[in-house]
Amino acid sequence: MAREVMEHLAVDKGIYVDATVGGGDHSAEILRNLRQGMLIAIDRDEEAIAFVRERLKGQSCRRAGVSSLLVHGNFADLDSIANTVPEIRQGVSGILFDLGLSRHQAVTPERGFSYQSDGPLDMRADRSTQKHTARDVVRHSSEAELARIIRDYGEERFHRRISRRIALVRSRLHTTGDLAEAVRSVVPFRFQAKAVARVFQAFRIAVNDELENLRCGLRQAIGLLAEGGRIVVLAYHSLEDRIVKQTFRDFANVGRIEILTRRPLRPSPAEVAVNPSARSARLRAATTLKSRLQAQAGAA
Ligand SMILES: C[S@@+](CC[C@H](N)C(=O)[O-])C[C@H]1O[C@@H](n2cnc3c(N)ncnc32)[C@H](O)[C@@H]1O
């Protein structure tokens, strides 16, 4: 949904933040459209930062008045990141969150996110600072805790039997293939593919604390926006989208933002045909309004 993202970010002059730089496609597009200012591109994954550093080399330097900064960090720490980048304190003109996994993470077996190919049960977005892998969660959580993770983060109806199975064979679960097989072994054939996908989603969310990070990141992002600044979020499952919707509502109810997308935008069938992984994308966008106090002061 690159076109819709760029339309809603309305990149012109100012400070823009790509909170999830990934492979750098959106960042490259922001830089291309930026007339004057700075792009701050963040990712939790050091491999993404290293890749994009090479990719963007020279792209901003070629134009006077345009610069970029790559930050290895968690968007849940946006306020701390802002403290180290004085430009952010001037007010951010646009901020983008493109949630979920990058293509590189999804297709690299050693990262342990994929159930299509066998790899270690890892799933850490940030291997340099996170200690606990998916294997640790599988090994050290009680059966009840496993059931809660699979129910709450995977919305999987067979959560009880799957957690029972995982608890029973946990010492033999070393790889993503082992975990997928444990799930398949207790789920009727026609539900297996979805159940495996949901269980992997659940462990990924648990390992990376994704939902709490999103709650914190969105609130801090809105706090950093300049008046008229834009926030654009691409979510890929209903748990993420619910948080985005609720956070936007909370800020809209106190007059802090105006929601630009009454309903989330979805990719066109043509886009899904070309890029099937976009099929679950939901885009929501908002713009900041003057705070009530500022508006009253202005009116007085
Ligand atoms: C879908 S990809 C982004 C793709 C990117 N928009 C592009 O154009 O290539 C999501 C990225 O967000 C990163 N990410 C996920 N949670 C994060 C967090 N809490 N803080 C910073 N980055 C995060 C992931 O590491 C991943 O690289």
Side-chain angles (χ1 to χ4, degrees):
M1 302 183 75
R3 186 178 55 80
E4 293 86 346
V5 165
M6 295 309 290
E7 268 174 24
H8 284 87
L9 266 183
V11 177
D12 184 35
K13 289 181 183 174
I15 309 296
Y16 288 83
V17 177
D18 182 348
T20 53
V21 69
D25 290 348
H26 285 123
S27 278
E29 209 43 34
I30 292 170
L31 275 177
R32 219 170 54 75
N33 286 277
L34 190 58
R35 284 205 293 140
Q36 191 186 345
M38 186 179 196
L39 165 71
I40 295 146
I42 303 169
D43 206 291
R44 251 187 122 173
D45 187 344
E46 269 189 326
E47 287 175 28
I49 295 294
F51 175 81
V52 175
R53 180 160 289 124
E54 283 305 305
R55 176 174 177 180
L56 297 185
K57 240 181 205 169
Q59 185 170 345
S60 52
C61 309
R62 272 188 246 120
R63 289 188 0 255
V66 173
S67 62
S68 60
L69 176 72
L70 284 163
V71 180
H72 174 228
N74 188 331
F75 59 57
D77 299 324
L78 265 177
D79 281 338
S80 323
I81 294 172
N83 286 334
T84 65
V85 186
E87 287 85 350
I88 295 187
R89 286 282 166 212
Q90 300 164 16
V92 169
S93 300
I95 183 158
L96 169 66
F97 292 77
D98 179 12
L99 303 169
L101 291 181
S102 68
R103 204 180 134 60
H104 172 74
Q105 290 166 335
V107 303
T108 307
E110 303 81 61
R111 300 300 301 268
F113 290 109
S114 169
Y115 44 87
Q116 319 279 11
S117 47
D118 210 11
L121 256 184
D122 192 320
M123 300 196 196
R124 286 170 300 165
D126 181 358
R127 292 196 288 185
S128 61
T129 63
Q130 285 175 259
K131 288 200 179 67
H132 300 300
T133 65
R135 182 146 189 256
D136 294 321
V137 176
V138 161
R139 285 219 147 180
H140 302 301
S141 307
S142 66
E143 184 182 323
E145 182 61 8
L146 290 167
R148 187 196 68 75
I149 289 171
I150 296 167
R151 183 196 63 206
D152 291 357
Y153 299 157
E155 301 187 293
E156 170 53 46
R157 67 168 155 151
F158 295 112
H159 57 90
R160 280 205 193 83
R161 58 171 89 170
I162 295 171
S163 54
R164 198 172 309 132
R165 180 70 190 163
I166 291 176
L168 190 69
V169 298
R170 64 171 103 218
S171 62
R172 285 183 268 136
L173 300 184
H174 300 287
T175 69
T176 53
D178 296 337
L179 178 61
E181 195 40 49
V183 175
R184 284 189 206 103
S185 70
V186 290
V187 172
F189 180 75
R190 65 195 172 105
F191 300 117
Q192 285 178 6
K194 283 217 163 129
V196 171
R198 289 186 183 130
V199 169
F200 271 66
Q201 171 185 301
F203 281 113
R204 198 191 86 201
I205 291 175
V207 168
N208 296 300
D209 207 6
E210 289 183 13
L211 302 183
E212 196 46 33
N213 286 336
L214 181 58
R215 280 188 201 98
C216 294
L218 289 178
R219 287 176 182 275
Q220 291 173 44
I222 293 171
L224 292 172
L225 284 175
E227 190 186 311
R230 299 287 182 97
I231 177 166
V232 178
V233 188
L234 275 170
Y236 294 87
H237 55 75
S238 53
L239 297 169
E240 287 172 345
D241 187 52
R242 233 172 272 155
I243 291 171
V244 183
K245 180 174 160 187
Q246 192 54 51
T247 306
F248 279 13
R249 264 199 197 151
D250 291 348
F251 280 89
N253 284 343
V254 295
R256 184 78 181 86
I257 61 171
E258 180 188 347
I259 297 171
L260 300 172
T261 44
R262 230 167 49 83
R263 291 174 182 282
L265 304 184
R266 307 297 304 259
S268 66
E271 178 166 1
V272 174
V274 178
N275 177 16
S277 59
R279 70 187 172 282
S280 47
R282 285 161 235 203
L283 183 153
R284 292 185 189 268
T287 184
T288 38
L289 300 167
K290 278 185 186 173
S291 75
R292 280 212 177 118
L293 284 176
Q294 278 176 308
Q296 279 164 4

